[in-house]
Amino acid sequence: MASSMAETLDTAKEIKNVCPICFESFKTPRYLPCFHTFCHNCLSSYILSTCKSKENPVGFPCPLCRQFVPAPSSIGEPEKWTELIPINTILQTMCEKKDQFCDACRRADEEEIATDWCKSCLEYLCRTCAKCHKRNAASQNHKLIPVSEKETVPFATESRVLCIDHNAPAKYLCVDHEELCCAECECTKHQKCNQVDEIEKIADNLIQSGTLKKLAQKILKHNDVLIQAKTEGETTMKHIDETSDIIAQESTDLRDKLVRHINDLVETHLDDLAKKVKGIKEKLAKFDDTVTDRQLLMTQYSQILTDSEKIPPPILVQNYLKTKRQFKQVTGLCLYKTCVDLHSEASKQLLKILDTLGLEDVRVDVKSIPIGSIDLTHADMKLICELPGSGGGYMFGGCFLENGDIVLADWNSRHCLFYSNNKLVRKLTLEGYSRDVMYRKPSELLISTNLNGRGHIAHYSHINLQKFKNITESNESIFQLAKSSEFIYAACSTFILKLDHGGNTVKQIAVDQCTYSVAVNKRQEIISSSCSTHKVTVMNQSGVKIHSYSHENLRHPYGLDVNFTGNIFVAGQLNNNIHVLTPTAELLKIFEVTSPSCIKFKENSYTCIVSAAFAGTKIYEFFPKGLEA
């Protein structure tokens, strides 16, 4: 590790043995991408203090040059970052040396003053040993630096990518698990995986296929959303200042017309106003910092992907996987922008003069909307198209594939219908009556079917439609399916079956009768609806109810889904409508749709499929009122 670091120079930086934060000798020095080095504890404390006021932090600025450093691991977990920042082993070795005697001679119980430093071996050498070192075939290419110049030793970054299990060079990529692996992993851990390719082939394919370019375009698009959100935040802050000034001026003008004994009331009102404005501006400033970090992250990701031709394939693939994984984490996080308005009735109250006993507090109406999302209380639901061949039976389930294709579960005909570009391209005949179909990356379909009173969940390939196996069977019928990163959930009328991804039962969660639908949000809360009680229920993983929803115009809520912002969409079949709820099951809006029995959303999108018995399946899109989709 130390040898390879010394062999792969990037940019020379002057090394000094004193941490620029604590001004003491380095203790476990760790270096950032900008090559600035800090003690482990100093850097850890700095990261935590920098990120403590930010919501789900995505990185931090270097304490010296202020260059933005992306999170080296999980977004929003800064307490874990320092451990994953690389150690400056050259500097660490130099700091641990208490003298300058030749290390080679010392192993022979001799003491000779060192004249050179080998930055490949990280050892001091005397004049004689230095000559031997250069003559030895194994070390002839090692670079020796005079001890007098050791303070300016350039250090290097590791250009190899290592397997996390064996610390060996990564030569392959398991496409199924999106994991880099060495030759040993390829023959053991990933032996049964469908696709394990050489890393050079993957790197070339990432460039030639345009995959890197596509991810870069997504990042730039998300950066545009962040810029817009930041601009809106600045506009809101300006509006708050202007509105605050107006309210303050009105109150001050009227105060001058009042008798002396009400002056105290006016002053109290102004203090309250200032406090409210300060509070909301702090909230907006925090939002601005959060968005700025994401902008910096997007900029770095874009730069990394744009310079792909200059980067070695292992680093390219590692950067791509890390960028893709963290970009998905970042875009998956619900970042809420703040919409604020100030209200005050002080002016009207002051007109009452002597009859006024007190002034109403300043009201701040705050509404949080996820970045990149729309305000569903002021949205329209536009019909995009109707899927041909979907009107002849009961379509109780369906899903979008990663490429935008659609699969529907046709209960009446025992088929799954496959659509590409909204055209029916193929049918898959099933052994039982299909109730739902769910896509599971990288290339799997899970289909729930019922036959002779028994429910099944089977695993199919969505590429060739080959059935692999039944992953679970139940003595009860199985209806809608849902998944999280750890579990699969199946609605079974009187309980929800919780399975691991291998199909093993983890728990049966009791629910109201006639529960045919289930979904799970990013907070790992389970959402279900009952056609018997006509209620929507939000539960934790143990089945404890957290929130519930019912409405006089919600009868027979057969299907539901959760979109990327956490909003709940419920198909009210008998009331011909779809109810849109907040993540805490509060009503936002009701849309009129004829007899919906199923609603399923495309990932990270406001596009959805809505099915109705014998009335076909249609594609809809939600968008801000008054705007074209």
Side-chain angles (χ1 to χ4, degrees):
M1 176 74 174
S3 176
S4 66
M5 282 186 64
E7 291 169 359
T8 56
L9 292 178
D10 189 334
T11 303
K13 297 287 181 181
E14 183 175 321
I15 291 183
K16 296 184 179 180
N17 293 343
V18 176
C19 170
I21 293 180
C22 66
F23 299 106
E24 295 182 3
S25 181
F26 282 108
K27 299 177 182 63
T28 315
R30 295 186 182 270
Y31 67 92
L32 302 179
C34 56
F35 300 106
H36 289 128
T37 304
F38 309 92
C39 292
H40 174 100
N41 290 340
C42 293
L43 185 59
S44 179
S45 298
Y46 168 78
I47 291 174
L48 292 176
S49 64
T50 303
C51 296
K52 66 181 180 180
S53 63
K54 298 176 182 178
E55 181 181 349
N56 293 315
V58 297
F60 61 94
C62 169
L64 284 182
C65 67
R66 311 307 293 172
Q67 177 179 324
F68 189 77
V69 181
S73 64
S74 302
I75 298 296
E77 297 181 350
E79 65 277 1
K80 299 180 180 179
W81 294 351
T82 310
E83 292 291 342
L84 298 174
I85 295 174
I87 295 176
N88 187 336
T89 53
I90 294 179
L91 187 53
Q92 184 178 37
T93 302
M94 293 175 64
C95 290
E96 291 173 352
K97 294 284 185 180
K98 301 303 182 182
D99 53 50
Q100 292 187 7
F101 289 114
C102 173
D103 290 310
C105 291
R106 180 173 291 172
R107 285 192 287 273
D109 294 327
E110 299 176 1
E111 286 190 353
E112 292 289 338
I113 298 296
T115 59
D116 295 273
W117 162 267
C118 176
K119 67 185 189 64
S120 298
C121 299
L122 304 181
E123 287 193 343
Y124 284 107
L125 300 172
C126 65
R127 193 178 307 280
T128 302
C129 291
K131 284 185 179 181
C132 295
H133 206 67
K134 295 299 291 184
R135 292 172 179 174
N136 191 302
S139 57
Q140 62 180 345
N141 294 322
H142 289 192
K143 187 172 182 179
L144 302 183
I145 296 175
V147 170
S148 60
E149 300 177 12
K150 70 181 181 65
E151 293 296 328
T152 60
V153 176
F155 75 94
T157 58
E158 176 65 76
S159 67
R160 297 185 306 165
V161 177
L162 302 178
C163 161
I164 59 175
D165 292 329
H166 304 101
N167 203 34
K171 296 183 178 181
Y172 303 95
L173 171 71
C174 173
V175 179
D176 292 6
H177 295 94
E178 292 192 338
E179 184 176 294
L180 294 170
C181 55
C182 64
E184 183 176 349
C185 288
E186 192 268 340
C187 297
T188 54
K189 182 179 178 181
H190 300 284
Q191 183 179 12
K192 297 182 179 180
C193 294
N194 295 323
Q195 186 178 357
V196 180
D197 291 333
E198 293 181 354
I199 202 167
E200 287 79 7
K201 177 181 176 182
I202 293 293
D204 183 64
N205 183 60
L206 287 173
I207 298 173
Q208 300 300 327
S209 66
T211 303
L212 288 177
K213 185 177 180 180
K214 289 178 182 177
L215 180 57
Q217 290 172 344
K218 287 183 179 179
I219 290 173
L220 289 175
K221 185 176 180 180
H222 184 67
N223 191 50
D224 290 339
V225 173
L226 294 173
I227 292 173
Q228 181 181 355
K230 185 176 181 181
T231 301
E232 291 174 355
E234 293 169 349
T235 301
T236 301
M237 192 177 295
K238 181 179 178 181
H239 168 71
I240 290 299
D241 283 336
E242 292 174 349
T243 306
S244 172
D245 291 342
I246 292 172
I247 294 174
Q249 188 62 48
E250 288 178 349
S251 301
T252 303
D253 290 343
L254 288 171
R255 181 195 61 190
D256 295 338
K257 299 177 183 180
L258 299 176
V259 293
R260 185 178 300 273
H261 74 270
I262 67 170
N263 281 341
D264 290 341
L265 294 176
V266 176
E267 291 298 332
T268 300
H269 167 66
L270 292 175
D271 290 342
D272 177 62
L273 173 64
K275 184 184 298 183
K276 292 296 196 310
V277 170
K278 179 182 178 183
I280 194 62
K281 288 179 70 174
E282 288 177 350
K283 183 179 181 67
L284 290 169
K286 177 181 177 181
F287 169 81
D288 183 82
D289 286 344
T290 301
V291 173
T292 298
D293 279 4
R294 281 162 172 72
Q295 281 185 265
L296 292 170
L297 183 64
M298 297 305 113
T299 300
Q300 287 213 358
Y301 284 167
S302 178
Q303 184 63 43
I304 290 172
L305 298 176
T306 301
D307 296 337
S308 59
E309 295 181 357
K310 303 176 183 178
I311 302 175
I315 293 295
L316 174 66
V317 176
Q318 186 184 48
N319 287 345
Y320 164 71
L321 291 175
K322 177 181 176 182
T323 302
K324 176 183 176 183
R325 187 179 303 114
Q326 291 194 350
F327 176 66
K328 182 176 180 181
Q329 287 181 311
V330 172
T331 55
L333 293 171
C334 284
L335 180 60
Y336 293 87
K337 59 186 177 183
T338 302
C339 300
V340 183
D341 199 2
L342 283 175
H343 301 279
S344 176
E345 297 294 330
S347 298
K348 294 180 181 179
Q349 292 174 331
L350 287 171
L351 291 174
K352 298 179 182 180
I353 308 178
L354 297 177
D355 294 335
T356 300
L357 299 177
L359 296 180
E360 186 177 295
D361 290 343
V362 176
R363 296 200 312 273
V364 180
D365 295 336
V366 179
K367 181 165 55 178
S368 295
I369 303 173
I371 282 186
S373 68
I374 61 177
D375 184 357
L376 289 166
T377 58
H378 298 89
D380 286 328
M381 185 176 179
K382 181 180 179 180
L383 174 63
I384 304 300
C385 69
E386 183 171 350
L387 297 178
S390 63
Y394 289 100
M395 302 293 174
F396 289 120
C399 68
F400 285 91
L401 303 183
E402 196 169 26
N403 62 359
D405 291 349
I406 296 171
V407 186
L408 298 180
D410 187 347
W411 178 84
N412 201 48
S413 66
R414 294 192 184 185
H415 283 139
C416 271
L417 310 181
F418 285 73
Y419 292 84
S420 181
N421 295 321
N422 302 329
K423 296 180 181 179
L424 181 62
V425 294
R426 66 180 100 168
K427 293 183 179 181
L428 171 64
T429 302
L430 304 172
E431 298 172 359
Y433 296 94
S434 59
R435 298 303 301 232
D436 198 11
V437 55
M438 180 174 67
Y439 175 66
R440 185 170 65 169
K441 295 179 181 180
S443 59
E444 303 170 352
L445 288 177
L446 296 182
I447 302 175
S448 62
T449 57
N450 297 304
L451 187 64
N452 299 325
R454 292 181 60 82
H456 305 80
I457 302 177
H459 171 199
Y460 289 79
S461 165
H462 88 280
I463 298 175
N464 56 20
L465 305 186
Q466 176 186 356
K467 178 179 178 180
F468 293 126
K469 63 179 180 178
N470 284 343
I471 68 168
T472 192
E473 295 185 9
S474 173
N475 291 326
E476 302 291 336
S477 295
I478 295 177
F479 301 95
Q480 187 173 335
L481 303 175
K483 71 177 186 298
S484 67
S485 58
E486 295 184 68
F487 304 108
I488 298 170
Y489 307 84
C492 301
S493 184
T494 58
F495 62 88
I496 291 174
L497 192 60
K498 180 178 175 181
L499 312 166
D500 61 25
H501 279 268
N504 303 304
T505 299
V506 176
K507 185 180 182 65
Q508 284 191 9
I509 302 173
V511 292
D512 296 335
Q513 287 188 340
C514 301
T515 292
Y516 304 129
S517 58
V518 63
V520 61
N521 61 24
K522 291 177 181 178
R523 292 186 289 191
Q524 307 305 308
E525 294 167 341
I526 303 168
I527 302 98
S528 65
S529 61
S530 166
C531 292
S532 174
T533 61
H534 313 290
K535 287 184 178 181
V536 177
T537 303
V538 180
M539 303 172 285
N540 63 18
Q541 286 290 309
S542 299
V544 177
K545 294 181 180 180
I546 306 172
H547 312 289
S548 65
Y549 171 80
S550 61
H551 194 281
E552 60 182 1
N553 289 324
L554 180 63
R555 307 292 294 174
H556 207 73
Y558 199 94
L560 61 78
D561 197 12
V562 177
N563 75 342
F564 70 100
T565 65
N567 292 123
I568 305 167
F569 294 74
V570 189
Q573 189 175 38
L574 296 186
N575 289 103
N576 299 312
N577 57 32
I578 289 177
H579 292 236
V580 184
L581 314 178
T582 67
T584 55
E586 298 169 305
L587 179 63
L588 289 174
K589 189 170 182 177
I590 299 176
F591 292 91
E592 294 183 3
V593 178
T594 303
S595 191
S597 58
C598 166
I599 180 169
K600 291 291 184 71
F601 275 86
K602 184 178 180 180
E603 187 176 14
N604 296 322
S605 168
Y606 280 101
T607 301
C608 63
I609 52 177
V610 178
S611 297
F614 295 104
T617 298
K618 300 174 183 178
I619 299 178
Y620 289 91
E621 184 173 359
F622 294 87
F623 59 96
K625 184 179 289 294
L627 296 179
E628 290 297 325

